[in-house]
Amino acid sequence: YGAKKGLRPLSVVFDAYATDDHSQAKIIVFNQTPSDAQGLHVRVRVYDLSGKAIDDRAADGIKIPFNGANQVLTLPRYPQVSSVFFVRCQLFDNMGRQLVDNVYWQSQKDDDLGGPQNDDALNLKQDKWADMTALNTMPKVELEVSAEQTVVYGDRVNIIRLHNPSSHIAFFERASICSARDGNEILPVEYDDNYVTVFPGETVEIHGAVSTRTDPHWVKLEGFNTPATSVRIE
């Protein structure tokens, strides 16, 4: 799902302080469609591990030629926040409709490739790795989960809604469609998204399609900082 989001023809991305002296991060809008894009709006928010928004900035009136890319914002370092933090990049069209919602988790400690002697593409020897262990300290969150079913073009489409009533972030949530409460996931299945992050007060919707020859009745949900739960499909 990360690759799917990263390969969108029109997208907004965060470069993870990857260039120059790593003192700033670039927010870049890419347009790999066959047409120019204009009237775009970007919003970028930064959250600490408790779910508190520590930065919120935006850029309006963005115009990107086809097969082009523009840097629209920069982010400073945030030494005052948790050792791992979240960066959320959203892209909207000129009608205010959300096109992209990309979520990144960033360590205060950068990856370090070391000197040029480590640049062998076939035998990477990295000096230091980013430290993501602080994710294990995230507050626990209980999501409100519901699911309903409809039939579309011969498939059973299950609409799964994850609502976060808390003030904390629910991280890396994975939904599975099953025939029984404690059963295995029905396969084959096609989700439009999964492994999602649900921010405080928000609702994320996942659509999962299975064949009408199957008998889906339950959705199981597992997350990084949420208890596993199962709900019946209505």
Side-chain angles (χ1 to χ4, degrees):
Y1 299 99
K4 178 181 175 181
K5 289 186 175 183
L7 292 171
R8 284 192 183 101
L10 185 63
S11 192
V12 57
V13 301
F14 158 70
D15 81 344
Y17 304 96
T19 56
D20 302 323
D21 62 356
H22 311 293
S23 63
Q24 287 189 326
K26 297 176 182 179
I27 304 298
I28 302 170
V29 177
F30 288 91
N31 179 11
Q32 299 182 71
T33 74
S35 304
D36 294 345
Q38 54 187 346
L40 302 175
H41 171 80
V42 166
R43 184 181 185 187
V44 178
R45 280 171 283 181
V46 178
Y47 296 81
D48 66 15
L49 285 180
S50 73
K52 179 182 177 182
I54 59 173
D55 199 358
D56 189 345
R57 56 186 68 195
D60 293 307
I62 299 167
K63 180 186 296 185
I64 312 289
F66 74 94
N67 203 30
N70 286 352
Q71 179 183 329
V72 297
L73 290 168
T74 59
L75 298 183
R77 282 287 187 173
Y78 300 93
Q80 75 280 13
V81 304
S82 46
S83 56
V84 176
F85 55 91
F86 290 90
V87 178
R88 183 184 190 186
C89 300
Q90 293 170 286
L91 180 67
F92 303 87
D93 66 13
N94 58 7
M95 300 296 291
R97 292 172 295 203
Q98 180 176 282
L99 304 175
V100 176
D101 189 357
N102 285 338
V103 179
Y104 304 82
W105 39 105
Q106 172 69 36
S107 172
Q108 298 280 13
K109 180 181 177 182
D110 294 320
D111 286 325
D112 185 356
L113 298 178
Q117 70 276 8
N118 292 347
D119 291 347
D120 182 355
L122 300 178
N123 189 26
L124 178 63
K125 295 180 181 179
Q126 191 154 322
D127 277 4
K128 298 178 183 177
W129 296 89
D131 184 359
M132 298 292 180
T133 55
L135 289 168
N136 295 325
T137 69
M138 291 182 69
K140 300 299 181 184
V141 175
E142 290 194 21
L143 294 178
E144 297 172 354
V145 185
S146 63
E148 60 184 78
Q149 187 180 116
T150 186
V151 177
V152 179
Y153 299 120
D155 285 333
R156 297 186 190 275
V157 177
N158 300 273
I159 303 167
I160 305 160
R161 294 183 180 90
L162 314 178
H163 176 67
N164 183 353
S166 78
S167 59
H168 306 299
I169 294 170
F171 178 50
F172 222 60
E173 303 294 328
R174 184 184 188 276
S176 303
I177 298 170
C178 307
S179 57
R181 180 168 190 157
D182 298 315
N184 295 325
E185 184 174 30
I186 292 174
L187 297 174
V189 58
E190 182 178 353
Y191 300 103
D192 65 343
D193 203 359
N194 225 326
Y195 295 100
V196 297
T197 296
V198 190
F199 287 88
E202 296 190 10
T203 300
V204 170
E205 195 169 279
I206 297 171
H207 294 188
V210 297
S211 168
T212 52
R213 296 189 297 273
T214 63
D215 198 21
H217 288 292
W218 291 87
V219 169
K220 293 195 296 188
L221 185 74
E222 298 174 292
F224 190 85
N225 63 322
T226 57
T229 188
S230 298
V231 297
R232 180 176 284 278
I233 300 171
E234 301 298 332

